């Protein structure tokens, strides 16, 4: 299989001994995006700072940034982000409050609630991840269509977390057709269920091992069943 720059991360993820190759891809992109955010060459450039000032960060990525060593960089980013949204909210507060209609019981501030709602949903790190991640999803279908070796790699994987299984299932009809689509969906469904059940059974034995009747029995593959379950179910 001849690899190109954009196919290497996908092939590497599917070669890993992991419960979801897409989670592996996502977490690598996430780490790159966090490091990019707190890189001086990013936050000291006004044009790039304006991007993060506008959208801010979700709770997850704010917490992860807070665990990173560049405290001054994070403080500078948040200072100008606060300048940005304080100014915007001051302007929104001057707008008249819309009265509730006969059919709507609650009132809402004109533009203010919508702005705060959007601010809560947006994240500089998430936005940086998502586009590249979506491109890698497309690469999976491209490789599945063109490369027999990748199809074998796909079939030998340990399946996917529920979220990424759903994403692949939804995208498949847009990227594949005919017998290839049928083959992909069949393999995808089988990989998901067989491996979800495998991890479920490992977790079940992990629980049983806390019963005194099984304390002298071997752990089998259950010692790390809980973190693998969290990957399968929640993508953690």
């Amino acid at each position: 299989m001849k690899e190109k720059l954009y196919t290497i991360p996908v092939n590497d993820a599917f070669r890993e001994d992991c419960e979801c190759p897409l989670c592996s891809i996502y977490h690598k992109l996430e780490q790159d995006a966090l490091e990019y955010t707190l890189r001086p060459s990013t936050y000291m450039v006004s044009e790039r700072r304006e991007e993060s000032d506008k959208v801010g960060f979700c709770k997850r990525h704010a917490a992860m940034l807070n665990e990173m060593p560049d405290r001054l960089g994070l403080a500078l980013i948040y200072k100008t982000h606060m300048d940005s949204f304080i100014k915007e909210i001051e302007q929104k507060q001057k707008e008249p409050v819309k009265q509730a209609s006969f059919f709507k019981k609650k009132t809402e501030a004109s533009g203010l609630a919508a702005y705060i709602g959007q601010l809560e949903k947006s994240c500089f790190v998430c936005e940086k991840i998502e586009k590249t991640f979506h491109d890698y999803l497309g690469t999976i279908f491209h490789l599945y269509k063109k490369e027999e070796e990748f199809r074998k790699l796909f079939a030998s994987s340990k399946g996917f977390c529920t979220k990424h299984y759903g994403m692949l299932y939804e995208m498949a009809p847009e990227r594949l057709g005919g017998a290839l689509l049928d083959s992909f969906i069949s393999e995808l469904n089988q990989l998901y269920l067989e491996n979800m059940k495998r991890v479920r059974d490992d977790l079940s034995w992990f629980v049983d091992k806390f019963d005194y009747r099984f304390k002298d029995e071997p752990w089998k593959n259950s010692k790390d069943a809980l973190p693998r379950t969290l990957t399968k179910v929640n993508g953690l």
Side-chain angles (χ1 to χ4, degrees):
M1 179 164 50
K2 188 176 180 181
E3 293 189 314
K4 298 180 180 178
L5 190 60
Y6 64 90
T7 68
I8 291 172
V10 173
N11 284 315
D12 285 348
F14 274 86
R15 290 186 183 111
E16 283 184 33
D17 183 16
C18 63
E19 294 294 350
C20 179
L22 273 70
C23 281
S24 177
I25 291 172
Y26 185 92
H27 293 321
K28 286 182 174 66
L29 290 174
E30 184 175 54
Q31 191 58 42
D32 289 345
L34 290 167
E35 292 173 359
Y36 172 85
T37 301
L38 281 183
R39 195 178 296 156
S41 59
T42 300
Y43 65 73
M44 294 304 291
V45 176
S46 58
E47 292 84 356
R48 293 173 182 169
R49 270 264 284 289
E50 285 174 6
E51 296 176 39
S52 60
D53 289 346
K54 184 178 180 181
V55 299
F57 303 93
C58 66
K59 290 181 180 179
R60 169 185 168 84
H61 291 133
M64 294 176 79
L65 287 167
N66 191 45
E67 294 298 317
M68 298 178 74
D70 190 348
R71 312 294 291 168
L72 176 58
L74 186 59
L76 287 169
I77 290 169
Y78 262 88
K79 193 271 179 188
T80 54
H81 173 51
M82 292 174 75
D83 289 342
S84 176
F85 73 71
I86 287 172
K87 182 179 179 180
E88 190 69 29
I89 286 176
E90 282 179 334
Q91 293 299 315
K92 299 291 184 187
Q93 287 177 347
K94 296 175 183 177
E95 298 175 0
V97 177
K98 291 181 179 178
Q99 295 293 316
S101 70
F102 179 78
F103 299 101
K104 291 184 178 180
K105 294 184 178 179
K106 68 176 184 177
T107 62
E108 62 179 39
S110 176
L112 178 58
Y115 172 73
I116 292 175
Q118 183 58 41
L119 199 61
E120 287 291 310
K121 294 176 184 176
S122 61
C123 174
F124 178 73
V125 175
C126 287
E127 289 181 5
K128 185 161 182 60
I129 296 167
E130 288 305 323
K131 182 185 183 304
T132 307
F133 184 72
H134 190 270
D135 289 343
Y136 282 139
L137 287 175
T139 301
I140 290 172
F141 291 104
H142 170 76
L143 287 170
Y144 192 89
K145 186 188 297 186
K146 300 292 184 180
E147 300 283 354
E148 182 180 356
E149 190 174 336
F150 179 78
R151 290 195 288 273
K152 292 177 181 177
L153 197 59
F154 182 91
S156 66
S157 72
K158 291 185 174 181
F160 308 92
C161 71
T162 300
K163 178 181 178 178
H164 293 141
Y165 161 67
M167 292 175 74
L168 289 171
Y169 190 95
E170 183 179 11
M171 286 183 67
E174 302 172 5
R175 303 301 181 107
L176 302 171
L180 203 59
L181 173 61
D182 293 340
S183 174
F184 180 85
I185 292 296
S186 177
E187 284 186 359
L188 180 66
N189 288 341
Q190 183 177 348
L191 280 169
Y192 174 77
L193 280 179
E194 283 186 355
N195 285 284
M196 190 64 74
K197 289 176 180 178
R198 169 181 55 80
V199 174
R200 186 273 317 274
D201 292 344
D202 288 344
L203 186 68
S204 180
W205 184 243
F206 177 85
V207 172
D208 287 344
K209 277 292 293 173
F210 287 85
D211 187 322
Y212 74 93
R213 293 173 298 174
F214 303 106
K215 67 182 182 69
D216 294 326
E217 297 293 326
W219 281 91
K220 302 178 183 177
N221 294 321
S222 71
K223 282 191 175 182
D224 63 345
L226 189 54
R228 288 189 289 110
T229 297
L230 295 178
T231 294
K232 281 295 191 194
V233 178
N234 300 107
L236 298 177

